[in-house]
Amino acid sequence: LVDEKSRVYVYDMKTKEVLFEDANANSVAWNTDMDEMLCYSGNGCLSIKTGNFPVHHQPLQGFVVGFSGSKIFCLYSLEMQTIDVPQSPSLYQYLNLGEFEKAYKVACLGVTEGDWRDLAITALTRLRLDISRKAFIRIRDVGYIELLERIELSKQDPECNENIIKADILAFQGKYNEAAKVYNRANQARKAVEMYLDLRDWKAAQEIVESLQDGKEQKYNGMSMTDLLKRQAEWLVDVNDYKAAADMYWGAREYETAISILGENKWLDELANKMRKLDKLKRRELTMAAQFFEKHKAHSYAKETYMKIEDVESLMDLHIKLEKWGDAFALAKSHPQYAKRIFLPYAQWLAMNDKFEQAQRAFQEAGRPDQSLFLLQQLIHNAITENRYQDAGYYYWLLAQEHLKMACEEQKKKAEGKGLGNREGRLLKRFLDFSSKADIYYAFNSIFDSETQPFTTLSPQEIFDTSLFLLRSLSAQGYEVPYGVSLTYCLYALAKQCRELRAFKLARKAFKRLSDLRLPALWRRSVELDNLMIRTTQFADKEELFCPRCGSANPLLSDDKLSNCVVCGHKFMYSFISFETLPLVEFKLTNDLTDEKAEILMKEVPVIGDVGRADEGIEFTDDGEAQTLQIGEGSAEPETGGGGGGGGNDMFTKQLMDMDHGTSSEWPMITVDAKTLAGFNPREVFRVYYPHKALPTRYFRAIISYLDRPIVQCPRCQKLFEEDEFEAYVLKCGKCPVCRFKLTNYTKEKDGKEDDEDDPLEMIDSDVY
């Protein structure tokens, strides 16, 4: 009703109760299609009231005369107007209240297709399937209509779970994560897996399966979720999607199949990530993965996998196969029982990479002396062919040491009754022969370089002494010149230096021998001219070689005594850099003094003034301001008695000064007892020791004080050197010139940088091995 004050009232016909009232109403019209909807106008405003919802206002001039559906008929200025009224607000208000029948009626009055879809989906979510079906039919959405049919069929099952239906609806709407959560709440994780498998979201499906504990897999129609993953993985293999198939097999706990797929396709990063997640008790699967890493040379991954299962033997084989020698030797330090397995493949690798010296040592450690000898022989041949005579000398020295080592082993076998004939003697003979050749090649390198290089650092005296050493050594072998060594070079170098050093007699002898040899064309005219000129000089040498044993003068090059004194038969010793003769006298021990005891005595420093020692007559005083050393009249001169003490009454000096040996050209060797040996200065006494009993230890003493002419000995090859020459060479090269033994105490730091590269020889020499 509308009263005279333009107020509208709505009454309940049964209870006469006022349901609604409002102002500004001069005309009212009910909706002919929906009883709960009316409209009224007044004061330039159109108001629409639906049910108990708030009034909707919009501007309008005129009087409403009718309301049908979503159209309002209004009279204004004698004209009838039609106004379309939106029903969406009313629709959503009914949806919010869950009144789907009234919402459907409002939608029927006229709403957009989007409003119909919202109505259908909201009703479907609330399981109002009748309203949802009508709405989807209205918008002709066949997909949802089919979904509704499936839902209706599933609801006929008495065990139907509404959560499953809701999850199906969410999945159909594309809300997959929400659907999976609902499936899990309904204890239907299988359906979630099936959903992700259909979507090919392998990772999500795998996470669901991996979250299940063993023994708690759910089965549906006799098929577990693992079976579903296997089936999906097989399908992925058929369509060549191997990476996704591997993930599916891994989710299905088919680890070996997954590892095989990843390994064969070289997806090593993915395989490594999965290995880190796998329990270390799965040894078979981890070993299989490690083999794939090893096959594709992924050392770090294979190493990590083997360490996880603590398979040390396979880890060592891995390092060896992939040539990771640093890791192999490091592992051998903690597991020495596997150390011997390294050397043979390591030696072969060194030989293939042109590291022949280290390879030779590695073959020794591997217990393959045959390979070591063969390699040395090849190295010697190559070095001589390439004119690397110093290398050839070094390799011959190594070869000699190999034969000496085998001779010592043969000696042990003979002691045990297992020796074979004269093999020991043959090995020792080869040792002496190879040692001699090593010295010859080493010395010849200096002569060859001085004649073939445009410049040389050797002084004329050094070339002269080196040539003499070579000729004496070759004469000892009956001039059987080793392969690659040129007697012509030696004689020519000697002859050239003889004129400068005024050794005219020796020069004539050298030119005479040169005239019997075939000379290079470039040398022939020069040699002939020098030969003529040398005949104009005096027939004498300026200097001669003096024997440290008897003090006799010796010819520079003797035809019969070679490197021995022509008077006493003493064998000269040389400094193996300049090849100058050293003032050393050889002696032997008394029968009651062993080599072991002698070695101890040689290391002891004599105490000046001891009663009963060989240095009586020497007085040492210290008054606090100065120290005085007074030598008595009975003391021997340093040149004859040595610099380490020892007066004229000691056993060594007496025999040294004894010149009464008749006409014998072989003087008896000096014999020294323990008391005399203990009185020698350790800096002036040396020994050359051989581990084989057939090669006696040789002892030498310097007859000139070490303060005047110091001598040093290499601890490895036992060669003797002038100290100044040796220090200069070692400071430059850091090693012995003959055996190349590293002498770190002499080596200078180079620009403050250290050599980071590991020396394989140092690893082999480690105490572990």
Side-chain angles (χ1 to χ4, degrees), residues 423-443:
R423 185 170 184 268
E424 181 182 359
R426 293 195 300 269
L427 291 172
L428 289 176
K429 184 177 179 181
R430 290 178 184 175
F431 162 71
L432 297 175
D433 180 47
F434 293 150
S435 297
S436 177
K437 288 183 178 180
D439 296 343
I440 291 174
Y441 280 109
Y442 169 77

Side-chain angles (χ1 to χ4, degrees), residues 11 57-58 84 183 188 229-230 314 381 423 446 516 523 541 583 611 761:
Y11 292 92
H57 300 283
Q58 68 181 57
D84 290 324
Y183 279 133
Q188 290 292 329
L229 291 177
K230 289 181 184 178
S314 298
H381 177 77
R423 185 170 184 268
S446 301
D516 297 334
W523 291 5
D541 293 330
V611 177
L761 291 178

